[in-house]
Amino acid sequence: MVVYSFYIFDRHAECIYKKHWPPRPTSSGNRAPGPTSDSSAMSSGVNGTGRHGLSAEDDAKLVFGTIFSLRNMVRKLGGPDDNFISYRTSQYKLHYYETPTNLKFVMLTDTRTINLRHVLNQIYINLYVEFVVKNPLSPVEHPGGVGVDCEMFEAGLDQFVTRDMA
């Protein structure tokens, strides 16, 4: 399974965390490079979904707009009890999980990946709550797009995605 990128949006539609992983090499002998920061991913001109020329901020806005629209469409067509979980295109699969506090966790993967709703739930419970919510130095709200800045969360997420999900 290949994970392209991961986003967290708060209840105010602000992207408070984003991380992109470069595609892994196809040969089994090569080791995959580590995750890229937003600035290094954008310097190459390609982001995790393969679109050229978009800034990381624009990419996050497009992802949020997509999940917002699809979630509303699912609720209108299926009723209030139906939930939007994921969708797939020819290039990627988007997985979605919304917490009771309206945090939105989004992961973009390759198309062959099974539903990762339970994985996003585990990231929320085991990483976000443990390292961000319970951290007394972490802000409760992230005004103006100030994101999650917790080294333990980033290290745990990177380990979870690169080792546990591989």
Side-chain angles (χ1 to χ4, degrees):
M1 167 182 30
V2 178
V3 176
Y4 298 128
S5 56
F6 176 75
Y7 300 90
I8 301 175
F9 298 97
D10 67 2
R11 62 186 175 149
H12 305 294
E14 294 284 338
C15 182
I16 60 172
Y17 185 80
K18 58 186 161 275
K19 189 166 199 167
H20 299 280
W21 288 270
R24 294 186 182 130
T26 55
S27 65
S28 60
N30 294 343
R31 186 166 179 228
T36 59
S37 66
D38 294 328
S39 59
S40 64
M42 297 313 351
S43 66
S44 66
V46 178
N47 59 23
T49 59
R51 292 188 296 262
H52 294 273
L54 291 178
S55 70
E57 192 173 304
D58 289 341
D59 195 37
K61 288 178 183 178
L62 285 173
V63 169
F64 184 81
T66 301
I67 62 170
F68 180 80
S69 299
L70 288 174
R71 185 187 57 152
N72 286 341
M73 183 179 71
V74 167
R75 286 187 179 160
K76 286 182 181 178
L77 293 176
D81 294 336
D82 288 335
N83 290 322
F84 168 63
I85 297 172
S86 67
Y87 81 91
R88 180 177 54 186
T89 69
S90 63
Q91 299 293 321
Y92 64 92
K93 185 171 184 180
L94 183 141
H95 307 271
Y96 175 72
Y97 174 72
E98 187 169 354
T99 68
T101 57
N102 288 333
L103 285 174
K104 295 151 187 71
F105 287 72
V106 178
M107 186 175 283
L108 298 175
T109 65
D110 65 339
T111 58
R112 297 171 304 214
T113 307
I114 60 169
N115 184 7
L116 296 180
R117 185 175 175 90
H118 65 285
V119 171
L120 293 174
N121 183 25
Q122 290 302 311
I123 290 172
Y124 170 65
I125 292 169
N126 295 327
L127 297 174
Y128 188 81
V129 170
E130 290 299 319
F131 297 129
V132 178
V133 174
K134 291 182 179 179
N135 182 355
L137 300 176
S138 180
V140 175
E141 292 286 327
H142 300 275
V146 173
V148 174
D149 188 23
C150 180
E151 291 178 15
M152 295 288 287
F153 174 75
E154 289 192 28
L157 179 65
D158 188 44
Q159 178 182 1
F160 186 77
V161 168
T162 57
R163 294 185 190 138
D164 298 340
M165 291 179 59

